[in-house]
Amino acid sequence: MSTEADRTSADRASVDRTERLRMRRYRRASIATVLALALMAGVLGAAAVLRGPHLDSAAINAATAIQRPGQRLVLQPDQPIEPITEADVSVTPETPFEVGVDEAGVTLTFTGMLRYGTDYSVRVSGVQGSSTGLPGSLSYDFSTPDATVHTLLRRGGAAAGPDKPADQVLASGLTVSSGAGTEVIFEAPRIQQFAVAGDVTVAIVLDEEGAGSLALKVGDSAVEGVHTSVGARLQNLRSSPSAGLFGVSVSGGADASGREYQNALFVFDPEVGSGRAEEVLGFGGEPLRVVDWRFVPGTSSIVAQGVDQQLYLLDPLAGGEPAALGRHAEIRGFLPGGVTLVVADPSGVSSIDLSTGDVAPMPLAEATVDPELYPGTIVALPDGGSVRRYDEIDYSSAQAVQSSVILVADASGTRELYRSSVPGSRVRTFCLSPNGQYLAVETIASGSLSDGYALPGYSDMTTSFVDLASGAVTRSVPGFLPDWCT
């Protein structure tokens, strides 16, 4: 007969056997798990060794790529690769590029500027691992941002009286699909002209007597004044978005010493606390009389044309003497994406490379047109082509009707790019976008009336964005004087 002590001892022995069995099962499971993980790691390691190159990371500044040529896309593969050639790389939509391979990976340098609001797809085929010898490929997709264009909407005109609504500076995207609507960024009773750099808007605002003053607004802050001579006539307001500078021509009025200005050029930096515009001086610190001028794209430098038609290159921030660029009758503007200035003379059109000072004739392709069309604004293209407005006047009715067409002429011939869609509407002027992709076309509606400003506009004016390659109008927005054209 078993005692209580015997039963307790038996129970303990049973518990010990159970614990030993549980520990043995745990050790077996642990060993199996470790072996499985080791096997899996080996398989994965072998797969990595035996796999061809794939993309590990990529980098591009898409916002800069639509503003300046020469921007880079760096593709970093997950292993070293053999050299590749341009034939191994495709970019959609097609755009010119150069390719290289170094320690950073595959580098595509875009020789031109990329298109606004566009989805790009890059494929590198025939990639071979330098250590494994196995083939692979690199693929990367990215999108460029839409551009913002500013226009001036004048409301009511000079004869609207005291209840005239305020004029507005509008910000718009290039396409409706981009999601960018039309936003009012500045308002004032009578806006003659405006310029924008970043979140700063500056405008020439007229009083009831027509005298102008400079008004400045930063973002959503209150409007402030910029000091200029009292009673002066202000015109040719422009900005350098990259340098954050503004400039304006001043004639008439007098400073505190009684000096009157004639065709003086002033620049100002909103970041400087003085709130004053400073005069741009010429040789020996003497006043520079200017009939036309431009900021050099991407810089704080200025090209100015004197009253004697002499052109000067100077930097108001750096100081120093101006550099003479020769005499020319007209400044036409800059070719997209660089510092090549286009000028015109009775003998023809020339280009001036401001990085070297070299001047070269620039023969432009001429459109084949009906001789009854009247030629107007012309813009040079980098490839020697031209874009030109032609006006047609129909005298068949009691009141002559004017309409406009814009034609492109290049090595392939002449093609129609844009035509006024409504009978009697006409094109006031147009200009190229900074990246050369679009035209901004100002249209005056049939029956529009002049608003009576010194720099006149018309009622119901619109600005249309026209794709230079296809002729498609991506959007039309209210107003005129788009900042591309200043």
Side-chain angles (χ1 to χ4, degrees):
M1 179 175 181
S2 63
T3 66
E4 183 66 27
D6 293 336
R7 286 195 299 271
T8 300
S9 177
D11 291 343
R12 287 174 180 167
S14 177
V15 170
D16 290 343
R17 285 194 299 273
T18 301
E19 182 66 20
R20 286 195 297 272
L21 288 172
R22 188 183 67 80
M23 291 301 297
R24 281 199 295 271
R25 286 196 294 268
Y26 174 77
R27 285 196 293 271
R28 291 185 187 123
S30 298
I31 293 171
T33 300
V34 170
L35 291 174
L37 291 174
L39 179 61
M40 185 180 298
V43 170
L44 292 176
V49 171
L50 298 176
R51 191 184 71 170
H54 287 75
L55 184 67
D56 182 59
S57 64
I60 183 174
N61 188 333
T64 304
I66 62 175
Q67 299 173 349
R68 293 195 291 272
Q71 301 306 300
R72 302 190 307 164
L73 167 63
V74 178
L75 304 175
Q76 180 65 59
D78 58 3
Q79 58 184 272
I81 63 173
E82 296 291 341
I84 61 172
T85 67
E86 290 184 12
D88 300 316
V89 183
S90 65
V91 179
T92 307
E94 185 175 342
T95 188
F97 63 88
E98 297 173 351
V99 66
V101 178
D102 55 24
E103 293 181 355
V106 179
T107 300
L108 272 66
T109 302
F110 297 108
T111 55
M113 289 175 288
L114 301 188
R115 295 171 62 88
Y116 302 125
T118 301
D119 297 327
Y120 282 88
S121 180
V122 179
R123 301 290 181 266
V124 185
S125 58
V127 181
Q128 182 174 319
S130 57
S131 57
T132 65
L134 295 176
S137 63
L138 309 178
S139 299
Y140 183 64
D141 298 330
F142 67 95
S143 299
T144 55
D146 190 23
T148 298
V149 187
H150 301 90
T151 54
L152 172 59
L153 178 62
R154 296 211 184 124
R155 303 195 296 170
D163 296 329
K164 174 190 177 303
D167 295 337
Q168 298 174 332
V169 177
L170 308 177
S172 306
L174 291 178
T175 63
V176 177
S177 60
S178 69
T182 296
E183 177 187 3
V184 178
I185 64 168
F186 187 95
E187 285 188 299
R190 297 184 66 199
I191 301 176
Q192 173 88 340
Q193 221 177 340
F194 76 94
V196 178
D199 65 345
V200 181
T201 304
V202 175
I204 300 174
V205 178
L206 306 179
D207 62 20
E208 294 180 358
E209 284 72 40
S213 62
L214 285 181
L216 177 150
K217 182 181 179 184
V218 181
D220 295 328
S221 64
V223 176
E224 303 176 4
V226 179
H227 178 77
T228 56
S229 58
V230 177
R233 180 167 59 91
L234 309 178
Q235 58 185 354
N236 296 330
L237 174 64
R238 297 188 172 100
S239 68
S240 171
S242 60
L245 294 178
F246 295 82
V248 66
S249 300
V250 178
S251 291
D255 61 15
S257 65
R259 176 194 161 194
E260 293 188 0
Y261 295 101
Q262 289 297 326
N263 302 109
L265 177 59
F266 282 75
V267 298
F268 60 97
D269 183 349
E271 297 295 325
V272 175
S274 66
R276 299 181 64 89
E278 301 294 335
E279 186 175 6
V280 176
L281 302 177
F283 294 103
E286 292 297 317
L288 186 65
R289 296 180 63 191
V290 173
V291 295
D292 197 6
W293 72 279
R294 301 285 194 283
F295 278 113
V296 179
T299 74
S300 59
S301 296
I302 285 172
V303 171
Q305 183 184 38
V307 293
D308 59 354
Q309 296 189 334
Q310 175 69 50
L311 298 188
Y312 303 94
L313 175 64
L314 61 147
D315 189 335
L317 295 186
E321 296 287 280
L325 300 174
R327 284 184 169 84
H328 298 280
E330 181 185 356
I331 296 176
R332 288 275 179 88
F334 288 88
L335 293 179
V339 293
T340 299
L341 179 68
V342 180
V343 296
D345 293 290
S347 59
V349 177
S350 303
S351 64
I352 305 175
D353 185 342
L354 298 185
S355 64
T356 62
D358 292 340
V359 182
M362 191 176 183
L364 299 179
E366 296 185 5
T368 302
V369 298
D370 187 328
E372 293 186 0
L373 296 179
Y374 296 91
T377 306
I378 186 171
V379 171
L381 299 177
D383 60 0
S386 66
V387 186
R388 190 160 202 169
R389 185 196 87 226
Y390 292 88
D391 294 327
E392 180 179 14
I393 302 178
D394 183 0
Y395 295 101
S396 61
S397 58
Q399 185 174 0
V401 177
Q402 180 178 339
S403 59
S404 305
V405 62
I406 296 177
L407 302 178
V408 177
D410 53 28
S412 63
T414 301
R415 62 185 173 92
E416 182 177 307
L417 184 69
Y418 178 87
R419 180 181 291 272
S420 304
S421 58
V422 180
S425 65
R426 64 191 190 278
V427 173
R428 176 182 180 271
T429 190
F430 68 91
C431 66
L432 274 175
S433 64
N435 74 344
Q437 179 185 353
Y438 284 92
L439 293 187
V441 181
E442 298 178 16
T443 303
I444 304 171
S446 176
S448 293
L449 301 177
S450 173
D451 55 26
Y453 287 53
L455 178 59
Y458 295 84
S459 58
D460 302 319
M461 290 189 68
T462 59
T463 297
S464 298
F465 308 132
V466 184
D467 189 297
L468 183 61
S470 66
V473 177
T474 61
R475 191 176 188 187
S476 294
V477 299
F480 75 123
L481 292 181
D483 49 358
W484 286 349
C485 300
T486 58

